[in-house]
Amino acid sequence: MRTLPAGEVLRLWEECRDVFPQTRALVLAAAADDAIVSVPPVERPIGRVTALLLRLRNALAGPRMSAVVGCPGCCGTVEFQATTEALLALEDKIVDSPPPLLHGGYEVVWRCLSYGDLRAVAEQPEAADPDRGALLLLERCVLSLRHDEHTAAPGAVDLPDAVREALTEAMSSADPLADLLVDLRCPDCEHAFTADFDVASFVWAEVESRARKLLLDVDVLARAYGWSESEVLALSEPRRASYLRIVTGELP
């Protein structure tokens, strides 16, 4: 994807700093969306949005992503790394129109989860219960249901546990970028655990860091040369850095 201009970075920072994480992820993904498609990101499978975020992270800071998480066993810290290339390789496995699930006499026509589903369920009070929230998400993705050749009302409430589990597994297989998990082992206590890999938080951290750096650049160069913010941001990154080195005395 294209490199984000300095003004676009500041726009994203200003627009996203006080919004919910799901809204932030969609705004950031839209900035990386070069494709002309009829389906907006909010309605696409979550993994498609994650792929856009990975491309944006790659354009902003390169392919390597490093993180530190707390060990639930000893409260120590565990570091891990991933690359955008390795994760983007999973995009080819996303199935936008999955086939019906046939299991235990049930035929379930379903679709992958979207950010629209996450938003809608998050607004419901009963979603505070994790089990109930998971069921609500599952229900939104069931489009039609047949049991022993009889059509039933769409929904997951009355599905047997085995069918629900099969459907959950099918959804994970159809969108491997929807819920990224990393298997880790603490180097101190040897405790093995699984951690969430939140791509949107990596992108936001980079946007926020770059935006704050740009604001400092504008402040320094505006004081030194009397330029406006738009004039400073219009400079290419190498030229802006050279002016800053002159101001700070690093260049003669």
Side-chain angles (χ1 to χ4, degrees):
M1 62 161 288
R2 62 186 176 88
T3 301
L4 288 185
E8 178 75 354
V9 173
L10 283 181
R11 182 194 69 79
L12 289 173
W13 171 74
E14 189 171 22
E15 186 174 345
C16 293
R17 59 181 180 169
D18 295 322
V19 300
F20 289 110
Q22 293 166 3
T23 302
R24 178 183 296 154
L26 288 168
V27 173
L28 294 173
D33 190 7
D34 296 328
I36 301 175
V37 296
S38 58
V39 181
V42 69
E43 297 177 9
R44 299 179 204 173
I46 292 174
R48 296 294 183 193
V49 176
T50 301
L52 290 172
L53 292 170
L54 287 166
R55 292 190 176 91
L56 179 56
R57 176 56 171 70
N58 191 66
L60 288 170
R64 293 191 174 276
M65 297 181 288
S66 301
V68 177
V69 297
C71 171
C74 68
C75 298
T77 58
V78 181
E79 298 182 11
F80 68 92
Q81 292 186 341
T83 65
T84 55
E85 294 105 320
L87 294 175
L88 280 171
L90 297 174
E91 186 182 13
D92 292 337
K93 298 182 179 181
I94 297 175
V95 182
D96 295 281
S97 300
L101 171 72
L102 303 176
H103 191 92
Y106 285 83
E107 179 182 349
V108 185
V109 178
W110 58 281
R111 60 170 176 79
C112 293
L113 276 171
S114 70
Y115 268 90
D117 298 318
L118 297 180
R119 276 181 171 179
V121 170
E123 294 172 355
Q124 301 185 42
E126 57 265 43
D129 178 354
D131 291 336
R132 178 59 179 163
L135 182 57
L136 289 172
L137 287 172
L138 207 61
E139 282 197 318
R140 290 184 61 86
C141 294
V142 175
L143 304 178
S144 67
L145 186 63
R146 291 176 63 84
H147 181 226
D148 292 335
E149 303 301 325
H150 298 289
T151 301
V157 173
D158 298 324
L159 285 175
D161 290 343
V163 179
R164 282 193 214 168
E165 290 175 6
L167 178 57
T168 301
E169 291 177 5
M171 293 172 71
S172 297
S173 298
D175 191 357
L177 283 176
D179 187 19
L180 290 174
L181 301 173
V182 182
D183 292 326
L184 300 172
R185 183 176 295 275
C186 178
D188 297 325
C189 71
E190 295 296 321
H191 179 73
F193 64 100
T194 301
D196 291 324
F197 193 92
D198 186 357
V199 174
S201 68
F202 276 89
V203 178
W204 173 242
E206 190 62 33
V207 168
E208 192 169 34
S209 174
R210 283 177 171 261
R212 294 186 185 279
K213 174 65 167 57
L214 284 169
L215 291 175
L216 290 173
D217 291 353
V218 169
D219 179 66
V220 171
L221 295 180
R223 291 174 187 271
Y225 298 103
W227 295 334
S228 66
E229 180 184 80
S230 59
E231 289 172 326
V232 173
L233 297 179
L235 296 170
S236 66
E237 191 167 334
R239 184 173 295 185
R240 189 167 60 247
S242 295
Y243 276 117
L244 287 166
R245 288 197 295 271
I246 292 172
V247 172
T248 58
E250 295 181 32
L251 285 180

